[in-house]
Amino acid sequence: MRRREFITLLGGVAVAWPLDARAQQPAMPVIGWLGSESREAEDLRIVPFRQGLKEAGYSEGQNLAIEYRLAEGQYDRLPALAADLVRRQVSVIALTGLPAALAAKAATATIPIVFQIADDPVQLGLVASLGRPGGNITGVTSLHVEVAPKLLELLHEMVPSATAMALLVNPANSVRAESITREGQDAARRLGLELHVLHASGEREFDAAFASSVQLRAGALAIGSDSFFFSRSRQLGALAFRHAIPAICPYREFVAAGGLMSYGTNTVNLYRQVGVYTSRILKGDKPADLPVEQAAKLDLIINLKAARTLALDVPMSMLMRVDEVIE
């Protein structure tokens, strides 16, 4: 081989090596976020979700991309949005809320899914068991449906003179609404209460629901667990204060905005854990081997200003159990 040809060959190899090396570099993983609400409302969940990812070394825009698909409160759009993420071939689908979880499960049996829901994922057929999910789905559950009776019990303890109460559910989330209604009616019978079930699936229906509660002479109002209600929990708290209705909700944000009480899990920790599980899957763990986590602690929070405004004396037995008091 001539010297010039040999040098040319070496030059070609020198150029080819970096190109081959670049081709072998792993592509940046892409997460699909399937949300039921608007971007503003979803940010309440996305911010702690990103924190969970960051704890594992993942930062959006640096070594990770996130594709957002948001239903803007129109749950019937979720199946198409989930199918779009599947076509995009994302690495993991992360989501919160039962409607999004059911849509994602129907869309793929192969792409890993990490959920946060307030229901029993085994009963709903999302996983085989909590300890061994067994498929492509895992996540975090707070089992708020089972908390529904406790909401009424706490209201009854706070307002013992009330013989009738109201329960607000979101009919657009039919599976959750039916479960909460059934649990609430059973609890009301045990407590000897008349229960009025009210519906709201949009902001415009909130005022009508609170007005109905007053017209029905309900002595207190329990607001069921729902992703839409969570995203509007501050608005609901302000309405409860304005209408002077003793009310309880699963979310702390509700109490901070003027509602009387909340009883539920720390939502920030739940969404952060979705990020933690998502990062573990990106690093090679399989959803089938990641046990569904259950939120173990439920916090009771009371707004003393709201109690004084409603002329309610907080029972000492309740004050001894409270986890946080808001003045």
Side-chain angles (χ1 to χ4, degrees), residues 192-220:
L193 298 170
E194 181 183 3
L195 187 67
H196 303 286
V197 180
L198 307 176
H199 296 139
S201 56
E203 290 186 38
R204 294 180 180 180
E205 298 172 334
F206 286 162
D207 277 312
F210 277 86
S212 294
S213 182
V214 173
Q215 292 168 2
L216 292 167
R217 296 184 179 179

Side-chain angles (χ1 to χ4, degrees), residues 123-244:
Q123 183 179 2
L124 293 167
L126 291 173
V127 298
S129 70
L130 296 180
R132 299 283 293 180
N136 65 315
I137 306 177
T138 189
V140 186
T141 179
S142 52
L143 294 178
H144 274 161
V145 170
E146 297 181 3
V147 171
K150 190 65 177 179
L151 298 181
L152 291 177
E153 291 171 11
L154 288 168
L155 275 180
H156 184 57
E157 185 177 354
M158 178 71 83
V159 194
S161 60
T163 58
M165 293 187 182
L167 174 65
L168 183 64
V169 298
N170 178 6
N173 189 352
S174 59
V175 176
R176 173 78 54 74
E178 291 170 5
S179 298
I180 293 175
T181 298
R182 183 173 59 254
E183 296 280 347
Q185 289 171 336
D186 289 344
R189 280 192 291 270
R190 289 196 303 271
L191 296 169
L193 298 170
E194 181 183 3
L195 187 67
H196 303 286
V197 180
L198 307 176
H199 296 139
S201 56
E203 290 186 38
R204 294 180 180 180
E205 298 172 334
F206 286 162
D207 277 312
F210 277 86
S212 294
S213 182
V214 173
Q215 292 168 2
L216 292 167
R217 296 184 179 179
L221 170 68
I223 299 173
S225 170
D226 182 82
S227 60
F228 174 65
F229 291 163
F230 168 71
S231 65
R232 305 297 190 279
S233 51
R234 290 187 177 277
Q235 181 181 348
L236 289 166
L239 283 169
F241 188 81
R242 192 175 80 203
H243 286 272

Side-chain angles (χ1 to χ4, degrees), residues 82-83 85-87 89-93 95 101-114 125-127 133-138 281 286-288:
L85 289 174
V86 173
R87 284 192 294 271
Q89 296 184 336
V90 296
S91 304
V92 186
I93 296 176
L95 56 87
L102 294 175
K105 177 178 172 59
T108 178
T110 55
I111 295 176
I113 297 169
V114 182
L126 291 173
V127 298
N136 65 315
I137 306 177
T138 189
I281 290 172
K286 296 180 180 180

Side-chain angles (χ1 to χ4, degrees), residues 71-89:
E72 303 284 343
Q74 300 177 47
Y75 293 175
D76 58 350
R77 295 180 55 200
L78 287 167
L81 295 175
D84 189 42
L85 289 174
V86 173
R87 284 192 294 271
R88 176 69 173 80
Q89 296 184 336

